[in-house]
């Protein structure tokens, strides 16, 4: 029964303020408004994936409830339940956010904030949901059961960091810079064995004044390890630096769109 803000928390708050409309009615209204805003600010492609993701999420949640109907904790420990309730949805949301979509609801607000401000998506998600949490705290009081269940500030903060961390790890690539006197075998390995390319520059050693070639290539973590092992066996006198890059845009990686 953990819930971290979102359209459900906002609907409960609005239904209490305007009792003529029930919670379900407000959920429909809020989701329709958010979808319209998404089409305006995020575009048709993003919202197409968002609508698909939201229906898929509802389908799989219903399927899990049907396969394993249970109204009690699976672990028997509320803190352990909170860890899973934060980590698993945040990991799923990160995968969806990574393709430029969302699972609907206040995730759409987070995408809009991330697009038009300098916020990371996880932080934008926390901002959009924590406003609902604070409004609920003011309306119902911090000690009430509703606020304890639906506000769960710890979960909100945890989810935002997990989302940002997961997105960064999904996009993480290794930028490898190799200095060598014998570049051709290394280039052959990069091009033919790893199906990647490289940029080659001519240089010279400041101490030895010997001519060198500088190769720059972008690889996955697994490929960077393969390249390091190749150099250790075939060119132990070469020099390599490997740095992390949180995002690579260009042919063979993410597109500009």
């Amino acid at each position: 029964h953990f819930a971290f803000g979102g359209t459900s928390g906002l609907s409960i708050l609005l239904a209490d303020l305007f009792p003529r409309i029930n919670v379900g009615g407000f959920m429909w209204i809020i989701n329709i408004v958010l979808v319209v805003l998404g089409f305006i600010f995020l575009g048709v492609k993003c919202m197409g994936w968002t609508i698909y993701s939201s229906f898929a999420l509802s389908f799989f949640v219903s399927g899990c409830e049907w396969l394993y109907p249970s109204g009690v904790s699976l672990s028997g420990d509320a803190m352990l339940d909170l860890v899973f309730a934060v980590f698993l949805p945040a990991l799923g949301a990160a995968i969806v956010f990574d393709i430029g979509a969302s699972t609907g609801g206040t995730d759409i607000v987070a995408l809009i904030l991330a697009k038009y401000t300098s916020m990371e998506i996880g932080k934008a998600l926390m901002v959009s949901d924590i406003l609902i949490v604070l409004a609920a705290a003011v309306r119902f009081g911090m000690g009430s059961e509703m606020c304890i269940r639906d506000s769960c500030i710890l979960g909100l903060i945890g989810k935002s960091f997990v989302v940002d961390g997961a997105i960064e790890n999904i996009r993480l690539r290794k930028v490898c810079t190799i200095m060598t006197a014998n570049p051709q075998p290394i280039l052959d390995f990069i091009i033919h064995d790893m199906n990647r390319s490289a940029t080659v520059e001519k240089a010279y050693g400041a101490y030895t004044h010997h001519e060198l070639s500088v190769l720059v290539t972008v690889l996955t973590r697994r490929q960077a390890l393969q390249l390091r092992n190749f150099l250790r066996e075939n060119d132990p006198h070469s020099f390599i630096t490997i740095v992390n890059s949180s995002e690579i845009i260009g042919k063979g990686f993410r597109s500009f769109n």
Side-chain angles (χ1 to χ4, degrees), residues 157-191:
I157 297 170
K159 184 179 179 181
S160 72
F161 282 103
V162 173
V163 166
D164 285 336
I167 290 175
E168 187 168 333
N169 275 280
I170 289 170
R171 297 177 179 177
L172 186 68
R173 293 294 183 267
K174 301 288 187 178
V175 180
C176 303
T177 304
I178 308 124
M179 281 138 277
T180 179
N182 187 23
Q184 197 56 50
I186 303 172
L187 290 171
D188 290 340
F189 179 75
I190 292 172
I191 294 169

Side-chain angles (χ1 to χ4, degrees), residues 112-121 123-124 164:
I112 294 172
L113 285 173
K115 182 176 181 179
Y116 291 97
T117 69
S118 59
M119 282 188 195
E120 296 177 326
I121 289 180
K123 306 303 182 298
D164 285 336

Side-chain angles (χ1 to χ4, degrees), residues 1-6 9 78-79 81-83 85-86 126 129-130 132-134 136-137 142 144-160:
H1 295 148
F2 286 122
F4 310 117
M79 184 54 67
D81 286 343
L82 178 61
V83 170
V86 169
M126 183 175 69
D129 280 343
I130 208 165
I132 300 170
V133 167
L134 295 175
M142 288 300 294
S144 70
E145 181 182 351
M146 182 270 175
C147 198
I148 292 171
R149 184 184 72 242
D150 283 1
S151 299
C152 205
I153 295 176
L154 177 62
L156 276 177
I157 297 170
K159 184 179 179 181
S160 72

Side-chain angles (χ1 to χ4, degrees), residues 233-254:
E233 295 175 5
N234 297 276
D235 194 355
H237 297 294
S238 63
F239 186 86
I240 181 172
T241 60
I242 302 175
V243 297
N244 291 334
S245 176
S246 60
E247 189 167 10
I248 301 293
I249 300 175
K251 187 176 180 181
F253 295 93
R254 296 177 63 87

Side-chain angles (χ1 to χ4, degrees), residues 38-39 42-52 99-102 255-257:
F39 276 113
L42 300 175
V44 175
K45 181 180 178 182
C46 172
M47 289 310 299
W49 281 113
T50 293
I51 292 169
Y52 167 77
I99 63 167
S102 73
S255 68
F256 283 97
N257 297 322

Side-chain angles (χ1 to χ4, degrees), residues 183-196 219 223-231 234:
Q184 197 56 50
I186 303 172
L187 290 171
D188 290 340
F189 179 75
I190 292 172
I191 294 169
H192 299 301
D193 290 73
M194 294 193 293
N195 198 29
R196 292 292 181 187
L219 306 172
Q223 289 173 331
L225 180 61
Q226 290 177 328
L227 178 61
R228 189 177 67 181
N229 292 338
F230 176 85
L231 293 175
N234 297 276

